[in-house]
């Protein structure tokens, strides 16, 4: 029975489905606030945030998760501000810190008072417009500038790459941690290509180049399709497939069944598809964005090349004609456990009591 008016209001907001509790635990010491979380109509939405929460739990730190369903409208963000003002009163002393995920969630999270508030940015929220018509570009330009300036008000920030960190104001950069998303290396493991083909149902004699993600302008899938078509003129049976909205538990079989990943996004923080592919030893051909150059350094066969169909096609031909890559070996430091340890280091930097001592990542 709810007797506290603040509890009643929080419960009412949750029931409306605008700002919802996705995970709760009586022993949670951290509050995660995000505007991306898997839902029935989009099971991959914010799956990397789930990975972050799970990684921390494996290190002994439990978190509650508050989902701002901003896709329904700006009123969800306004209600989230109210929720964050109430929580220090209604859940007095429960949370040691607040970590928002996604730049748009950060202003609401900042309304939580009395504890450190950290914002974890993803990419386009800070980098600004890279595609779209004039109106949408102006909107993204203004939003990214507001979020960059808002970073001054936060206790600390995290970015996925150094490129993103450079966009922050100088005062915020001094408190920024570069922490990309981690990969579940127990799920994304190399398996035999033939076995993966049986799981996916793809023909055994097909040379398969994949792109991963929803077909949005930012992905420049037209470029991937053009490059693959040129490569197909040289290699018989080569086909391009778009892997989109596949359940997380089935993605490893897609990477292992493919012969190459082509990644042509115009803007990224630290692309999870590339890291997952590398964990499965899948060769990657990519255009420069985010930390892709760092991810592919020392990975063979793989390539970073200009956003030109001919150049991409040439590298596709080279990669699908060779062996699997050494990507797993080169990205061992990007395991979910390793990244959770780095995030815990960030949390410990505030000198908070009762945080678990970080474990040694395996």
């Amino acid at each position: 029975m709810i007797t506290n008016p603040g509890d009643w209001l929080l419960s009412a907001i949750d029931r409306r489905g605008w700002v919802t509790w996705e995970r709760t635990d009586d022993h949670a010491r951290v509050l995660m606030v995000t505007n991306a979380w898997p839902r029935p109509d989009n099971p991959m939405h914010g799956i990397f945030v789930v990975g972050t929460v799970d990684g921390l739990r494996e290190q002994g730190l439990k978190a509650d998760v508050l989902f701002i369903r901003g896709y329904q409208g700006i009123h969800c963000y306004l209600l989230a501000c109210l929720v964050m003002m109430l929580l220090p009163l209604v859940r007095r002393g429960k949370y040691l810190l607040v970590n928002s995920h996604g730049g748009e969630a950060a202003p609401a999270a900042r309304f939580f008072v009395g504890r450190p508030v950290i914002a974890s940015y993803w990419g386009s929220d800070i980098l600004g417009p890279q595609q779209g018509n004039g109106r949408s570009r102006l909107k993204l330009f203004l939003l990214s500038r507001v979020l960059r300036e808002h970073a001054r008000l936060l206790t600390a920030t995290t970015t996925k790459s150094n490129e993103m960190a450079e966009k922050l104001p100088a005062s915020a950069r001094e408190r920024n941690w570069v922490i990309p998303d981690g990969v579940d290396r127990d799920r994304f493991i190399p398996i035999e290509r033939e076995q993966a083909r049986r799981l996916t149902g793809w023909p055994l004699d097909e040379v398969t180049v994949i792109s991963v993600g929803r077909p949005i302008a930012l992905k420049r899938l037209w470029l991937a399709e053009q490059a693959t078509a040129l490569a197909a003129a040289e290699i018989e049976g080569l086909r391009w497939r778009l892997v989109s909205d596949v359940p997380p538990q089935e993605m490893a079989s897609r990477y292992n069944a493919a012969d190459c990943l082509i990644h042509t996004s115009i803007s990224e923080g630290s692309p999870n598809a590339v890291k997952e592919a590398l964990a499965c030893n899948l060769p990657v051909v990519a255009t420069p964005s985010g930390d892709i150059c760092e991810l592919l350094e020392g990975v063979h066969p793989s390539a970073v090349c200009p956003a030109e169909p001919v150049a991409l096609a040439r590298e596709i031909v080279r990669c699908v004609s060779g062996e699997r890559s050494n990507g797993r070996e080169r990205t061992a430091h990007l395991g979910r456990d390793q990244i959770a340890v780095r995030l815990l280091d960030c949390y410990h930097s505030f000198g908070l009591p009762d945080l678990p001592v970080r474990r040694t990542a395996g």
Side-chain angles (χ1 to χ4, degrees), residues 171-231:
S171 60
R173 285 200 302 272
E174 295 173 357
R175 306 188 304 274
N176 183 71
W177 295 64
V178 177
I179 305 176
D181 294 312
V183 174
D184 184 349
R185 288 167 63 87
D186 292 328
R187 171 179 290 172
F188 293 98
I189 59 174
I191 63 174
E192 290 296 326
R193 179 177 175 275
E194 290 73 16
Q195 178 186 350
R197 288 288 170 109
R198 286 192 292 270
L199 291 171
T200 59
W202 297 351
L204 291 175
D205 59 350
E206 178 182 287
V207 180
T208 308
V209 178
I210 63 170
S211 295
V212 174
R214 288 196 160 190
I216 58 176
L218 190 69
K219 298 293 184 182
R220 293 193 298 195
L221 295 176
W222 59 268
L223 180 58
E225 196 167 10
Q226 284 185 14
T228 309
L230 291 174

Side-chain angles (χ1 to χ4, degrees), residues 192-314:
E192 290 296 326
R193 179 177 175 275
E194 290 73 16
Q195 178 186 350
R197 288 288 170 109
R198 286 192 292 270
L199 291 171
T200 59
W202 297 351
L204 291 175
D205 59 350
E206 178 182 287
V207 180
T208 308
V209 178
I210 63 170
S211 295
V212 174
R214 288 196 160 190
I216 58 176
L218 190 69
K219 298 293 184 182
R220 293 193 298 195
L221 295 176
W222 59 268
L223 180 58
E225 196 167 10
Q226 284 185 14
T228 309
L230 291 174
E234 297 188 40
I235 297 181
E236 184 178 355
L238 188 146
R239 174 180 177 177
W240 176 70
R241 292 179 181 270
L242 175 62
V243 178
S244 181
D245 292 331
V246 173
Q249 63 271 19
E250 298 178 16
M251 279 302 301
S253 64
R254 301 310 198 271
Y255 291 122
N256 281 290
D259 295 286
C260 181
L261 169 74
I262 179 169
H263 186 85
T264 51
S265 289
I266 193 170
S267 177
E268 291 278 2
S270 180
N272 293 315
V274 171
K275 289 178 284 191
E276 292 166 356
L278 293 175
C280 295
N281 284 338
L282 179 65
V284 175
V285 174
T287 53
S289 64
D291 64 351
I292 282 180
C293 291
E294 299 169 39
L295 291 175
L296 296 187
E297 184 178 359
V299 177
H300 305 289
S302 282
V304 180
C305 56
E308 301 170 359
V310 173
L312 290 165
R314 182 169 55 249

